[in-house]
Amino acid sequence: MLDVQSIRKNFPIFNRGKNPFVYLDSASTSQKPQSVIDAVSTYYNSYAANIHRALYTIGEKATDKYEGVRKKVKIFLNVPDTHTVIFTGSTTESLNLIAYAWGQKNLNADSEILLSEMEHHSNIVPWQLVAEKTQSSLQFIPLTDDGTLDLEPNDSLYSKRTKLISVCHQSNVFGTVNPIDSVIATAKEWGAISVIDGAQAVPHMKVDIAKLDCDFYAFSGHKMLGPTGVGVLIGRTDLLEEMDPFMGGGEMIDKVTLEKSTWNKVPWKFEAGTPNIAQVIGLGAALDYIQSVGIDKIHNHDVDLLNYGLDILSQNKDITLFGNTQNRGAVIPFNVKNIHPHDLAKFLDTDGICIRAGHHCAQPIMNHLGVTATARVSFYLYNTKSDIDVLAESIEKTARIFA
Ligand code: C6P
């Protein structure tokens, strides 16, 4: 059991004296504990310097702290080699990095890119862009009505032309935790590389990169208590070494002449320019915080809230819940009869409740569901069952106003 009241004391946003304040949008971005805010401000207050180039004490300290976070990520996710942990700006940037740096070199008119209909736009649009450039084509693993992927062996989906399979570990709309072990195994079987979008998974469950043995894994810091502006891409050493850089500039080079340049080693080959130093250091503090609480405890707490939320919301006859999958994270998409989700979100906000409403950057899912938007609530370690009770009451109140 998590001691949620003690946890909430660590998050300044819950202690502003604003009551009620019910934050149910952690799938969009999480709140930050004081230790993360302190780690970022301490960097700016006491050792703000560029990394890998400053020869003075505070520069060395900044470099050590930044590189130390690479080791923390390695330990947190059981990554075989620290050098395969690349810092980016976000999951979006991580996925674009693969699409451009791997895709442009390895895809051609004979290649197929296999995605799923469940993807966030950041795991669709970069592939559309690279498909257009390379004349390769896109295929999609179908979505079923209960919010899972139809992974049945299917000759029209998988073939020798399949060069890359990219799916999310956990859906940001349904919360579905996909059987990525089998997706990764299928990719290997067909000689394709596997890419996993872990944006919604890493904050909420134990992820073991060595065990998964995928080719690329991407996630964002801001959904896991860290600052915005930092993401991670983990890649397989040989693939990263073969790939051309994604961006050119300082730091990513070995030698530069006016005619040509050679590249720094992995991971720095992919970290052009001054990186997001403060944000990476903040991510390190977020990893420390999650480890101090325990990712398994957080996961169990999520599941508890999910089951409670599903139970409470399903008692309201005006609510339509979307998706119905057994293995899922703490995300619930729904709509309320006769209320547009945007109106619902605005009315809930007047009661101090933050939820997401819209297409959730997953318009193909909305098309599949036959709606333009849904409401969505998502839970994290600082949420309580009483947050869900307050939500349910406010939904009922809003429904009475709209009736
Ligand atoms: N989903 C949500 O409210 P960035 O923005 O790059 O940190 O993460 C993009 C992203 C990629 N994949 C998945 C599965 C995601 O959920 C997200 C971000 C947020 O659902 C913001 S749209």
Side-chain angles (χ1 to χ4, degrees), residues 25-29 89-95 118-123 168-173 197-201 219-223 230 356 360-362 376:
D25 199 16
S26 295
S28 182
T29 196
S90 59
T91 304
T92 304
E93 190 181 316
S94 299
L95 293 168
M118 190 194 277
E119 300 311 309
H120 185 277
H121 295 165
S122 33
N123 200 22
C168 58
H169 196 163
Q170 178 178 312
S171 159
N172 68 318
V173 176
D197 168 359
Q200 296 290 344
F219 63 97
S220 296
H222 69 95
K223 293 185 198 290
V230 52
R356 181 150 183 201
H360 315 296
C361 300
R376 183 191 72 182

Short mmCIF file of all heavy atoms in Angstrom, two decimals, residues 25-29 89-95 118-123 168-173 197-201 219-223 230 356 360-362 376, ligand 1:
data_model
loop_
_atom_site.label_atom_id
_atom_site.label_comp_id
_atom_site.label_asym_id
_atom_site.label_seq_id
_atom_site.Cartn_x
_atom_site.Cartn_y
_atom_site.Cartn_z
N ASP A 25 -4.96 14.01 -14.87
CA ASP A 25 -4.45 14.08 -16.25
C ASP A 25 -2.96 13.74 -16.31
O ASP A 25 -2.21 14.33 -17.09
CB ASP A 25 -4.72 15.49 -16.82
CG ASP A 25 -4.65 15.50 -18.34
OD1 ASP A 25 -4.71 14.42 -18.95
OD2 ASP A 25 -4.52 16.60 -18.92
N SER A 26 -2.54 12.77 -15.52
CA SER A 26 -1.12 12.42 -15.50
C SER A 26 -0.66 11.73 -16.78
O SER A 26 0.53 11.72 -17.08
CB SER A 26 -0.80 11.53 -14.30
OG SER A 26 -1.03 12.26 -13.11
N ALA A 27 -1.59 11.17 -17.55
CA ALA A 27 -1.19 10.57 -18.83
C ALA A 27 -0.73 11.67 -19.78
O ALA A 27 0.03 11.41 -20.72
CB ALA A 27 -2.34 9.78 -19.44
N SER A 28 -1.20 12.89 -19.53
CA SER A 28 -0.76 14.01 -20.36
C SER A 28 0.58 14.51 -19.85
O SER A 28 1.57 14.55 -20.57
CB SER A 28 -1.81 15.12 -20.31
OG SER A 28 -1.42 16.17 -21.13
N THR A 29 0.61 14.90 -18.58
CA THR A 29 1.89 15.19 -17.93
C THR A 29 1.68 15.02 -16.43
O THR A 29 0.59 15.28 -15.93
CB THR A 29 2.44 16.59 -18.29
OG1 THR A 29 3.82 16.64 -17.93
CG2 THR A 29 1.71 17.72 -17.57
N GLY A 89 14.59 15.40 -26.51
CA GLY A 89 13.69 16.36 -25.87
C GLY A 89 12.38 15.73 -25.40
O GLY A 89 11.69 16.29 -24.55
N SER A 90 12.03 14.56 -25.96
CA SER A 90 10.71 13.97 -25.69
C SER A 90 10.60 12.62 -26.39
O SER A 90 11.46 12.28 -27.21
CB SER A 90 9.62 14.89 -26.25
OG SER A 90 9.82 15.04 -27.65
N THR A 91 9.52 11.92 -26.12
CA THR A 91 9.24 10.69 -26.89
C THR A 91 9.11 11.04 -28.36
O THR A 91 9.61 10.32 -29.24
CB THR A 91 7.90 10.07 -26.42
OG1 THR A 91 7.96 9.85 -25.01
CG2 THR A 91 7.60 8.77 -27.13
N THR A 92 8.42 12.14 -28.64
CA THR A 92 8.23 12.57 -30.03
C THR A 92 9.57 12.71 -30.73
O THR A 92 9.76 12.22 -31.86
CB THR A 92 7.48 13.94 -30.05
OG1 THR A 92 6.26 13.78 -29.34
CG2 THR A 92 7.20 14.41 -31.46
N GLU A 93 10.52 13.37 -30.06
CA GLU A 93 11.84 13.55 -30.70
C GLU A 93 12.55 12.20 -30.86
O GLU A 93 13.19 11.95 -31.88
CB GLU A 93 12.70 14.52 -29.88
CG GLU A 93 13.96 14.90 -30.63
CD GLU A 93 14.85 15.85 -29.83
OE1 GLU A 93 14.33 16.81 -29.23
OE2 GLU A 93 16.07 15.61 -29.80
N SER A 94 12.40 11.33 -29.85
CA SER A 94 13.05 10.02 -29.93
C SER A 94 12.55 9.24 -31.15
O SER A 94 13.33 8.64 -31.89
CB SER A 94 12.77 9.20 -28.67
OG SER A 94 13.28 9.84 -27.53
N LEU A 95 11.22 9.27 -31.36
CA LEU A 95 10.65 8.52 -32.48
C LEU A 95 11.04 9.15 -33.82
O LEU A 95 11.35 8.44 -34.79
CB LEU A 95 9.12 8.43 -32.34
CG LEU A 95 8.65 7.60 -31.13
CD1 LEU A 95 7.15 7.79 -30.88
CD2 LEU A 95 8.95 6.11 -31.31
N MET A 118 -3.60 1.97 -32.95
CA MET A 118 -3.74 2.47 -31.57
C MET A 118 -2.71 3.56 -31.25
O MET A 118 -2.64 4.04 -30.13
CB MET A 118 -3.52 1.29 -30.63
CG MET A 118 -3.85 1.50 -29.20
SD MET A 118 -3.16 0.16 -28.22
CE MET A 118 -4.40 -1.09 -28.41
N GLU A 119 -1.91 3.95 -32.24
CA GLU A 119 -0.76 4.81 -31.91
C GLU A 119 -1.12 6.27 -31.67
O GLU A 119 -2.06 6.80 -32.26
CB GLU A 119 0.30 4.71 -33.02
CG GLU A 119 0.83 3.30 -33.25
CD GLU A 119 1.27 2.61 -31.96
OE1 GLU A 119 2.04 3.21 -31.20
OE2 GLU A 119 0.82 1.48 -31.72
N HIS A 120 -0.32 6.89 -30.84
CA HIS A 120 -0.31 8.35 -30.67
C HIS A 120 0.24 8.94 -31.98
O HIS A 120 1.02 8.29 -32.67
CB HIS A 120 0.63 8.66 -29.51
CG HIS A 120 0.68 10.10 -29.10
ND1 HIS A 120 1.47 11.02 -29.76
CD2 HIS A 120 0.06 10.78 -28.11
CE1 HIS A 120 1.32 12.21 -29.17
NE2 HIS A 120 0.47 12.08 -28.17
N HIS A 121 -0.17 10.15 -32.31
CA HIS A 121 0.30 10.76 -33.57
C HIS A 121 1.82 10.75 -33.68
O HIS A 121 2.36 10.69 -34.78
CB HIS A 121 -0.20 12.21 -33.68
CG HIS A 121 -1.70 12.31 -33.77
ND1 HIS A 121 -2.38 13.49 -33.59
CD2 HIS A 121 -2.64 11.37 -34.03
CE1 HIS A 121 -3.69 13.28 -33.72
NE2 HIS A 121 -3.86 12.00 -33.99
N SER A 122 2.52 10.80 -32.54
CA SER A 122 4.00 10.83 -32.65
C SER A 122 4.58 9.49 -33.06
O SER A 122 5.77 9.43 -33.38
CB SER A 122 4.70 11.35 -31.41
OG SER A 122 4.08 11.05 -30.26
N ASN A 123 3.75 8.45 -33.07
CA ASN A 123 4.23 7.18 -33.63
C ASN A 123 3.52 6.87 -34.95
O ASN A 123 3.48 5.71 -35.37
CB ASN A 123 4.02 6.03 -32.62
CG ASN A 123 4.91 4.84 -32.92
OD1 ASN A 123 5.95 4.97 -33.58
ND2 ASN A 123 4.50 3.68 -32.45
N CYS A 168 2.96 1.07 -29.43
CA CYS A 168 3.07 1.61 -28.07
C CYS A 168 3.03 0.46 -27.06
O CYS A 168 2.34 -0.54 -27.28
CB CYS A 168 1.96 2.61 -27.79
SG CYS A 168 0.29 1.97 -27.99
N HIS A 169 3.75 0.64 -25.98
CA HIS A 169 3.73 -0.34 -24.89
C HIS A 169 2.38 -0.24 -24.17
O HIS A 169 1.75 -1.25 -23.89
CB HIS A 169 4.89 -0.04 -23.93
CG HIS A 169 5.23 -1.16 -23.00
ND1 HIS A 169 6.42 -1.22 -22.33
CD2 HIS A 169 4.54 -2.24 -22.60
CE1 HIS A 169 6.43 -2.31 -21.57
NE2 HIS A 169 5.31 -2.94 -21.72
N GLN A 170 1.97 0.99 -23.90
CA GLN A 170 0.65 1.20 -23.28
C GLN A 170 -0.07 2.32 -24.03
O GLN A 170 0.51 3.37 -24.27
CB GLN A 170 0.80 1.56 -21.80
CG GLN A 170 -0.53 1.84 -21.12
CD GLN A 170 -0.39 2.16 -19.64
OE1 GLN A 170 0.29 1.47 -18.89
NE2 GLN A 170 -1.05 3.23 -19.21
N SER A 171 -1.32 2.07 -24.36
CA SER A 171 -2.10 3.07 -25.10
C SER A 171 -2.44 4.27 -24.22
O SER A 171 -2.83 4.11 -23.06
CB SER A 171 -3.40 2.43 -25.60
OG SER A 171 -4.36 3.43 -25.89
N ASN A 172 -2.32 5.49 -24.80
CA ASN A 172 -2.66 6.69 -24.03
C ASN A 172 -4.16 6.93 -24.00
O ASN A 172 -4.63 7.78 -23.26
CB ASN A 172 -1.94 7.92 -24.57
CG ASN A 172 -2.44 8.34 -25.93
OD1 ASN A 172 -2.67 7.51 -26.80
ND2 ASN A 172 -2.62 9.64 -26.14
N VAL A 173 -4.92 6.18 -24.82
CA VAL A 173 -6.38 6.37 -24.82
C VAL A 173 -7.08 5.30 -24.01
O VAL A 173 -7.85 5.60 -23.10
CB VAL A 173 -6.92 6.39 -26.28
CG1 VAL A 173 -8.44 6.48 -26.27
CG2 VAL A 173 -6.32 7.55 -27.05
N ASP A 197 7.11 2.47 -28.23
CA ASP A 197 6.81 3.78 -27.65
C ASP A 197 6.38 3.54 -26.21
O ASP A 197 5.26 3.11 -25.94
CB ASP A 197 5.69 4.44 -28.48
CG ASP A 197 5.11 5.67 -27.81
OD1 ASP A 197 5.55 6.01 -26.69
OD2 ASP A 197 4.20 6.29 -28.38
N GLY A 198 7.30 3.84 -25.29
CA GLY A 198 7.04 3.55 -23.88
C GLY A 198 6.58 4.75 -23.07
O GLY A 198 6.64 4.73 -21.84
N ALA A 199 6.07 5.80 -23.76
CA ALA A 199 5.72 7.05 -23.05
C ALA A 199 4.76 6.81 -21.88
O ALA A 199 4.89 7.42 -20.82
CB ALA A 199 5.10 8.05 -24.03
N GLN A 200 3.77 5.91 -22.08
CA GLN A 200 2.78 5.70 -21.02
C GLN A 200 3.15 4.53 -20.11
O GLN A 200 2.53 4.34 -19.06
CB GLN A 200 1.39 5.42 -21.63
CG GLN A 200 0.81 6.57 -22.43
CD GLN A 200 0.41 7.76 -21.56
OE1 GLN A 200 0.28 7.65 -20.33
NE2 GLN A 200 0.24 8.91 -22.19
N ALA A 201 4.15 3.76 -20.50
CA ALA A 201 4.47 2.55 -19.72
C ALA A 201 5.52 2.82 -18.64
O ALA A 201 5.32 2.46 -17.47
CB ALA A 201 4.96 1.44 -20.66
N PHE A 219 10.81 7.07 -24.44
CA PHE A 219 9.87 7.61 -23.43
C PHE A 219 10.20 9.06 -23.08
O PHE A 219 11.23 9.58 -23.51
CB PHE A 219 9.82 6.72 -22.17
CG PHE A 219 11.12 6.62 -21.41
CD1 PHE A 219 11.35 7.43 -20.29
CD2 PHE A 219 12.10 5.72 -21.78
CE1 PHE A 219 12.53 7.33 -19.58
CE2 PHE A 219 13.28 5.61 -21.08
CZ PHE A 219 13.51 6.43 -19.97
N SER A 220 9.30 9.68 -22.31
CA SER A 220 9.44 11.10 -21.93
C SER A 220 9.63 11.23 -20.42
O SER A 220 8.99 10.50 -19.66
CB SER A 220 8.16 11.88 -22.27
OG SER A 220 7.94 11.91 -23.65
N GLY A 221 10.39 12.23 -20.00
CA GLY A 221 10.58 12.47 -18.57
C GLY A 221 9.36 13.08 -17.88
O GLY A 221 9.08 12.80 -16.72
N HIS A 222 8.63 13.92 -18.62
CA HIS A 222 7.59 14.72 -17.93
C HIS A 222 6.37 13.91 -17.50
O HIS A 222 5.57 14.39 -16.70
CB HIS A 222 7.15 15.90 -18.82
CG HIS A 222 6.38 15.49 -20.04
ND1 HIS A 222 5.02 15.49 -20.07
CD2 HIS A 222 6.78 15.08 -21.26
CE1 HIS A 222 4.61 15.10 -21.27
NE2 HIS A 222 5.67 14.83 -22.01
N LYS A 223 6.21 12.71 -18.03
CA LYS A 223 5.07 11.88 -17.60
C LYS A 223 5.45 11.03 -16.39
O LYS A 223 4.64 10.27 -15.88
CB LYS A 223 4.62 10.97 -18.75
CG LYS A 223 4.02 11.72 -19.94
CD LYS A 223 3.49 10.74 -20.95
CE LYS A 223 3.29 11.34 -22.31
NZ LYS A 223 2.19 12.30 -22.40
N VAL A 230 12.69 16.75 -21.65
CA VAL A 230 13.67 15.66 -21.68
C VAL A 230 12.96 14.35 -22.03
O VAL A 230 11.92 14.01 -21.48
CB VAL A 230 14.47 15.52 -20.35
CG1 VAL A 230 13.59 15.43 -19.14
CG2 VAL A 230 15.42 14.32 -20.41
N ARG A 356 -8.54 15.35 -19.13
CA ARG A 356 -8.27 15.68 -20.53
C ARG A 356 -9.52 15.40 -21.35
O ARG A 356 -10.24 14.43 -21.11
CB ARG A 356 -7.09 14.86 -21.06
CG ARG A 356 -6.81 15.23 -22.51
CD ARG A 356 -5.41 15.12 -22.98
NE ARG A 356 -5.37 15.59 -24.38
CZ ARG A 356 -4.45 15.30 -25.24
NH1 ARG A 356 -3.42 14.54 -24.89
NH2 ARG A 356 -4.50 15.75 -26.48
N HIS A 360 -6.90 13.29 -27.95
CA HIS A 360 -5.75 12.70 -27.26
C HIS A 360 -4.58 12.42 -28.22
O HIS A 360 -3.81 11.46 -28.01
CB HIS A 360 -6.14 11.41 -26.51
CG HIS A 360 -7.42 11.57 -25.75
ND1 HIS A 360 -7.55 12.46 -24.71
CD2 HIS A 360 -8.64 10.98 -25.91
CE1 HIS A 360 -8.79 12.42 -24.25
NE2 HIS A 360 -9.47 11.54 -24.96
N CYS A 361 -4.47 13.23 -29.26
CA CYS A 361 -3.42 13.03 -30.28
C CYS A 361 -3.48 11.60 -30.81
O CYS A 361 -2.44 10.96 -31.03
CB CYS A 361 -2.03 13.34 -29.72
SG CYS A 361 -1.85 15.01 -29.16
N ALA A 362 -4.69 11.11 -30.96
CA ALA A 362 -4.88 9.75 -31.49
C ALA A 362 -6.16 9.75 -32.33
O ALA A 362 -7.10 9.00 -32.05
CB ALA A 362 -4.96 8.75 -30.34
N ARG A 376 -11.15 11.88 -20.71
CA ARG A 376 -10.21 10.85 -20.26
C ARG A 376 -9.69 11.21 -18.88
O ARG A 376 -9.28 12.35 -18.66
CB ARG A 376 -9.02 10.75 -21.24
CG ARG A 376 -8.03 9.65 -20.87
CD ARG A 376 -6.74 9.75 -21.69
NE ARG A 376 -5.94 10.88 -21.25
CZ ARG A 376 -4.79 11.25 -21.79
NH1 ARG A 376 -4.29 10.56 -22.81
NH2 ARG A 376 -4.12 12.29 -21.33
N1 C6P B 1 0.57 11.75 -24.78
C1 C6P B 1 -1.49 12.43 -23.70
O1 C6P B 1 -2.20 13.24 -23.11
P1 C6P B 1 5.67 13.74 -25.81
O2 C6P B 1 4.64 14.78 -26.07
O3 C6P B 1 6.69 13.69 -26.91
O4 C6P B 1 6.26 13.80 -24.45
O5 C6P B 1 4.90 12.33 -25.82
C2 C6P B 1 4.21 11.93 -26.97
C3 C6P B 1 3.50 10.66 -26.73
C4 C6P B 1 3.91 9.53 -27.39
N2 C6P B 1 3.32 8.34 -27.19
C5 C6P B 1 2.33 8.19 -26.31
C6 C6P B 1 1.73 6.84 -26.10
C7 C6P B 1 1.86 9.31 -25.61
O6 C6P B 1 0.86 9.16 -24.74
C8 C6P B 1 2.44 10.58 -25.84
C9 C6P B 1 1.92 11.81 -25.13
C10 C6P B 1 -0.07 12.80 -24.02
O7 C6P B 1 -1.91 11.33 -24.04
C11 C6P B 1 0.05 14.15 -24.65
S1 C6P B 1 -0.72 14.21 -26.23
#
